[in-house]
Amino acid sequence: CESALGEFVLTLFWPICILLPVTFPVCTSEDPKPNLAAPFFGFPRCYTTFASPANSFAKTSPGSELRPLTGLLTRPYQGVSGAECAKSEPALFALGPHFSPLGACEYIPASNLHRFPPQYQGKVMVASHGSWNRIPWIGYRVDVLGIDFMTRPYRAISRDVFLPPLRETTDAARRIRPVDVRSSSVDGSLLMTADRDDFMGGERGGGL
């Protein structure tokens, strides 16, 4: 059982990081474990891609590139049949290669104090640790995902950059790498932890 979000699995399937829906329910540590078979997401026998990965972008700005919401394809690795991959749970989003999603939460403000505009309520926030050796680089940001939770399977509605990349575009030595996000339990704030991956005064940064 999952004690937090419980509805998603963030997966680093090559060549594109994807967000996969999970069908088991949210439950506390006191609840009995549900007697459900584990969903099959394809890995390591299948992967998610596009018909033309190098040209499939909804936005191409440096560090803030976005993949489209449609056109995702499930493909078999060598020696695996396409029929087997067709039985796997499909991906909701293609987050992008090297996006490194480390944490996610549904934004539910506890009060009106410090809350974000209403259009963000109920959306899923995803923290991207970002790439370290990809050209062009990607991530170092928080994305906001719109998901229709009223349908089964869930349906991807929207995706945008919520917190712009925390990295200097011309100097890879100065960057902040988001690790996790959570809705505050006392107001409408969105809490974030991060690594400071830079060099300041000859010392390497640590956690924030």
Side-chain angles (χ1 to χ4, degrees):
C1 295
E2 294 286 315
S3 59
L5 186 58
E7 297 285 352
F8 304 96
V9 170
L10 291 170
T11 315
L12 307 182
F13 294 174
W14 183 92
I16 297 174
C17 295
I18 57 178
L19 186 68
L20 296 167
V22 176
T23 55
F24 54 77
V26 176
C27 58
T28 67
S29 58
E30 291 77 22
D31 293 330
K33 185 176 182 180
N35 186 22
L36 298 175
F40 173 58
F41 296 117
F43 184 81
R45 302 176 65 78
C46 316
Y47 63 94
T48 299
T49 186
F50 293 90
S52 179
N55 300 310
S56 300
F57 293 95
K59 182 184 292 186
T60 58
S61 54
S64 296
E65 65 182 59
L66 294 174
R67 296 282 179 168
L69 300 179
T70 59
L72 281 70
L73 303 172
T74 303
R75 293 288 189 245
Y77 283 109
Q78 185 174 0
V80 180
S81 70
E84 179 180 344
C85 294
K87 298 177 182 179
S88 64
E89 293 282 342
L92 281 177
F93 296 88
L95 299 180
H98 295 239
F99 189 77
S100 298
L102 296 188
C105 76
E106 184 178 2
Y107 175 63
I108 303 177
S111 74
N112 290 329
L113 181 65
H114 301 144
R115 70 180 298 170
F116 292 104
Q119 64 264 31
Y120 294 111
Q121 185 167 344
K123 298 293 180 65
V124 175
M125 303 294 185
V126 179
S128 164
H129 206 231
S131 60
W132 66 274
N133 64 346
R134 179 177 184 258
I135 300 176
W137 58 271
I138 185 176
Y140 304 89
R141 69 189 201 228
V142 175
D143 280 10
V144 54
L145 311 180
I147 301 172
D148 182 0
F149 291 107
M150 303 305 294
T151 62
R152 292 293 188 276
Y154 298 146
R155 183 172 62 91
I157 299 175
S158 63
R159 179 187 177 190
D160 208 346
V161 176
F162 178 75
L163 177 66
L166 303 174
R167 163 177 167 152
E168 291 189 8
T169 57
T170 59
D171 189 350
R174 294 186 177 90
R175 55 195 182 186
I176 293 175
R177 314 184 73 179
V179 173
D180 202 2
V181 284
R182 284 291 182 272
S183 298
S184 171
S185 61
V186 296
D187 61 14
S189 300
L190 180 69
L191 309 179
M192 183 186 80
T193 57
D195 296 330
R196 198 188 81 223
D197 187 12
D198 56 15
F199 293 88
M200 299 182 64
E203 297 184 2
R204 191 175 184 85
L208 292 177

